[in-house]
Amino acid sequence: MEKDSDHILIKAIKQKPIERTPIWIMRQAGRYLPEYKETKNEAGGFIKLIRNPELACEVTLQPLRRFSFDAAILFSDILTISDLLRMELKFIENKGPVFDHPLSTQKDLDRIGKPDEIDKLHYVFETIKLIKKKLNNEIPLIGFIGSPWTVATYLVEGNSSKKFNKVLRILKDDKVFIERLLDQITEISINYLQRQVHCGVDVAMIFDTWGGLLEKDEYEKFSLKYIKRIKKSLDLKKIPLIYYSRGLKDKLENLGTLDVDVLGIDANLNPQIIKKKFGNKFSIQGNLDTEILKKDETEIVEGVEKVLSSFGHGSGHIFNLGSGITPDIDPEKVKLLVDILRDISPKYHIK
Ligand code: CP3
């Protein structure tokens, strides 16, 4: 049995020699799996599922039974943290997260004021402990939070807006409000991720999905600054930290001062560019375009080869998609992807 620290995922992060490229995929537990849909129905919906440690543990493990992934990721959501702000999170089928009373004024911030005790998220911590027991230290578990900016976009918009008009307007008009909100989210995020670390996650990840919405200077001031604060305040107990964002192509300068182990990138950024700019400062996670999983085997092989060769030879790469897997993907294509990677990635590593 492998110890966690000897696991291929951890070795890839530490850029130690390995024989093949490890893989997991974002949203690996999700609606493309029929067994997920069944368990979600049994729980009575998505919110009830993430609040039920037994069933959340079960869906975390489902993709690992089907595919030889090299990591498990906690089944939860970046928006559970809204519990601590007494903002009721709802999920509408095929629409996504909804808050009935989104935030837009200083008065709203007074309302969410002092956050509730972190123990309110006990269901997450119980889920982590259950998963860790079941994984038996054979596969590392990834815990996560959303970046303060990305979480803020949902708390202000009140839903999955896609346009972000409201939050971008408030960013222009009321910087004091935005900074106060980001401060509040940052404080609870540190606590929340710290507690996940105490409960035994092996890797921590920050999803800054909407960091790329911000212009260069704003990205530094309203997103990265808070990520850096989280990193500084956390005692990670030597576990690695992954930072994922989209749309970073024109913001690479900003990343030079970011102290994380892995950069998770979308399908529009070439890993080679990051390596050229930063050498081996970061390991890289990504970045196959999810759409390629709708194509046939030849095109999937081509896609995988392209990602592998753009990273190049050696350790320091974790294979993943550039964004979360979508419900329209056939699980057989995921199996094919994992098999193809096992077949062709060894040539990029030690003989
Ligand atoms: O398998 C995993 O990746 C772990 C669990 C996980 C979920 N969400 C489960 C989920 C993780 C790590 C997240 C992160 C998350 N949540 C992000 C950042 C990553 C990304 O996708 O960019 C964001 C922005 C959210 C907020 C969120 N959650 C939205 C906007 C939506 C609706 C859109 C969608 O993809 O369905 C969700 C729902 C959600 N989170 C589902 C799952 C499995 C689907 C729920 C369902 O309808 O069954």
Side-chain angles (χ1 to χ4, degrees), residues 149-204:
W149 166 254
T150 294
V151 171
T153 62
Y154 291 98
L155 299 185
V156 171
E157 293 289 336
N159 57 44
S160 250
S161 90
K162 302 252 154 63
K163 286 205 182 121
F164 303 96
N165 291 336
K166 228 172 124 189
V167 72
L168 291 174
R169 186 176 39 76
I170 296 184
L171 181 66
K172 266 202 180 131
D173 295 348
D174 193 352
K175 295 208 167 27
V176 177
F177 165 86
I178 292 286
E179 280 169 357
R180 219 183 124 194
L181 174 59
L182 291 171
D183 280 340
Q184 277 173 259
I185 301 172
T186 302
E187 189 192 325
I188 53 179
S189 300
I190 293 166
N191 241 334
Y192 182 35
L193 193 53
Q194 187 69 68
R195 188 67 177 267
Q196 294 185 40
V197 173
H198 281 305
C199 289
V201 300
D202 303 288
V203 176

Side-chain angles (χ1 to χ4, degrees), residues 82-283:
S82 60
D83 276 13
L84 303 180
L85 305 173
R86 297 167 302 283
M87 290 187 65
E88 193 197 345
L89 172 64
K90 293 180 185 163
F91 263 88
I92 300 188
E93 200 63 34
N94 303 320
K95 188 164 178 275
V98 174
F99 293 104
D100 286 338
H101 305 285
L103 308 171
S104 61
T105 63
Q106 297 275 349
K107 232 179 165 176
D108 294 331
L109 296 185
D110 294 338
R111 164 163 65 86
I112 61 169
K114 195 172 168 318
D116 283 344
E117 289 295 318
I118 198 76
D119 283 334
K120 206 168 171 189
L121 294 170
H122 62 91
Y123 56 89
V124 178
F125 309 130
E126 281 163 37
T127 304
I128 293 174
K129 289 180 196 158
L130 276 180
I131 301 169
K132 279 297 292 176
K133 217 186 266 170
K134 288 266 166 78
L135 289 176
N136 206 17
N137 278 348
E138 280 159 24
I139 293 180
L141 175 64
I142 303 171
F144 65 89
I145 52 170
S147 77
W149 166 254
T150 294
V151 171
T153 62
Y154 291 98
L155 299 185
V156 171
E157 293 289 336
N159 57 44
S160 250
S161 90
K162 302 252 154 63
K163 286 205 182 121
F164 303 96
N165 291 336
K166 228 172 124 189
V167 72
L168 291 174
R169 186 176 39 76
I170 296 184
L171 181 66
K172 266 202 180 131
D173 295 348
D174 193 352
K175 295 208 167 27
V176 177
F177 165 86
I178 292 286
E179 280 169 357
R180 219 183 124 194
L181 174 59
L182 291 171
D183 280 340
Q184 277 173 259
I185 301 172
T186 302
E187 189 192 325
I188 53 179
S189 300
I190 293 166
N191 241 334
Y192 182 35
L193 193 53
Q194 187 69 68
R195 188 67 177 267
Q196 294 185 40
V197 173
H198 281 305
C199 289
V201 300
D202 303 288
V203 176
M205 180 156 170
I206 301 178
F207 285 93
D208 191 17
T209 305
W210 302 120
L213 278 182
L214 298 166
E215 303 293 329
K216 264 187 184 176
D217 290 354
E218 290 182 334
Y219 172 59
E220 179 65 43
K221 270 198 207 141
F222 299 103
S223 182
L224 275 188
K225 185 173 101 187
Y226 297 91
I227 309 279
K228 290 175 185 171
R229 199 188 287 173
I230 291 172
K231 171 69 193 358
K232 249 193 176 154
S233 312
L234 270 178
D235 178 3
L236 281 167
K237 316 259 177 227
K238 301 211 171 99
I239 73 165
L241 179 63
I242 305 174
Y243 170 72
Y244 167 80
S245 193
R246 296 187 204 165
L248 291 184
K249 226 176 179 169
D250 59 341
K251 300 186 182 71
L252 293 183
E253 295 300 331
N254 302 70
L255 299 177
T257 51
L258 186 64
D259 176 24
V260 300
D261 303 283
V262 185
L263 277 187
I265 58 173
D266 70 18
N268 295 316
L269 190 57
N270 187 330
Q272 195 56 49
I273 295 177
I274 296 177
K275 274 180 103 177
K276 262 202 189 124
K277 195 160 181 65
F278 299 114
N280 57 5
K281 173 173 163 56
F282 302 111
S283 292

Side-chain angles (χ1 to χ4, degrees), residues 27-29 31 36 40 76-77 91 154 160 207 209 246:
R27 294 280 170 97
Q28 62 190 28
R31 286 163 296 180
Y36 165 81
K40 184 171 94 169
S76 188
D77 198 87
F91 263 88
Y154 291 98
S160 250
F207 285 93
T209 305
R246 296 187 204 165

Side-chain angles (χ1 to χ4, degrees), residues 1-16:
M1 190 177 70
E2 286 176 298
K3 287 207 309 286
D4 278 353
S5 58
D6 294 337
H7 195 276
I8 188 167
L9 182 92
I10 308 293
K11 282 185 176 165
I13 294 174
K14 294 187 172 162
Q15 304 181 16
K16 292 193 172 150

